Amino acid sequence: MKYDGGMPVIIVGADTSFGMKIAERLSTETAELRAFVSDLDSVAPLRSLGCKVAVGDVSDESHTGAAAHGCFSAILITEAADDERERSFADTAFKVVRGWVAGARDAGVRRIIWVTDGSVNLPDVMAMEVATVHVRDEGALELVATYEDLATLP
C-alpha cells in the first residue's frame, strides 16, 4: 500500500541523516517521493531510492516552494535549517523554517510533518494539518502527535 494514497510527498532536508533515513523508508511506500537538498553528494543516493531530487538553497522559500508544487505532504527536517550549510536568504533558523511554511503554503501543501530536536522554534502553521516528530538524544524518532490527535491538541 502506498503512503497518502499515492499523493506526492517532499522531504526538505533529505540530505541530513534523518532525512535520508526517512527517504529510505518512504521510498518503498510512497508513489512519488521528492527530496529537496543543498548537498550535491546526496543527489545520487536519493535518486537510487527513486526520489525526484531538487537542489537549491534551503533558505529560499521560492526554491522549496517550487520543489513542493503539487505535493500533499511536506516533511521538514529542522536540522537543515540550523546546520553548517550555506544559506543566502535567511540569517536565522526560525526565518528558514518560516520560509518553508510560506513556500509549502504557496505550493498547495496540505500537511506538514516537522522532524525536530527541539532546538529550532517552529512557526505557527494555520489551515494545514501539522504533526511534530521529536528526535531523542539517542537519535531515535519519537512521534509527539498523530493526525488523529489534531482535534484534541491545544
Side-chain angles (χ1 to χ4, degrees):
M1 175 173 270
K2 296 291 186 183
Y3 177 76
D4 272 343
M7 295 180 188
V9 176
I10 188 166
I11 304 168
V12 176
D15 51 355
T16 64
S17 60
F18 283 109
M20 185 60 77
K21 288 177 187 177
I22 292 167
E24 289 169 355
R25 173 64 193 270
L26 290 182
S27 67
T28 62
E29 299 178 15
T30 304
E32 182 180 325
L33 183 60
R34 300 180 195 175
F36 186 86
V37 301
S38 56
D39 178 8
L40 292 174
D41 293 335
S42 66
V43 173
L46 288 163
R47 283 193 178 144
S48 73
L49 294 172
C51 295
K52 294 181 178 183
V53 182
V55 179
D57 185 333
V58 296
S59 69
D60 185 341
E61 69 186 62
S62 69
H63 286 189
T64 56
H69 181 74
C71 286
F72 182 78
S73 298
I75 301 170
L76 307 176
I77 315 292
T78 62
E79 177 186 347
D82 197 32
D83 60 11
E84 299 301 317
R85 73 185 70 215
E86 182 178 336
R87 293 171 198 79
S88 300
F89 295 89
D91 58 358
T92 67
F94 181 76
K95 289 179 183 176
V96 172
V97 296
R98 188 176 61 199
W100 292 352
V101 171
R105 185 172 284 127
D106 290 347
V109 170
R110 302 293 303 154
R111 177 179 294 155
I112 288 181
I113 302 167
W114 292 106
V115 177
T116 182
D117 64 1
S119 65
V120 177
N121 290 326
L122 301 177
D124 289 330
V125 181
M126 305 305 286
M128 291 181 171
E129 293 180 3
V130 179
T132 303
V133 177
H134 281 232
V135 178
R136 295 190 309 236
D137 292 337
E138 309 86 44
L141 297 176
E142 172 186 352
L143 184 62
V144 174
T146 65
Y147 302 117
E148 293 77 22
D149 298 329
L150 289 175
T152 63
L153 294 176

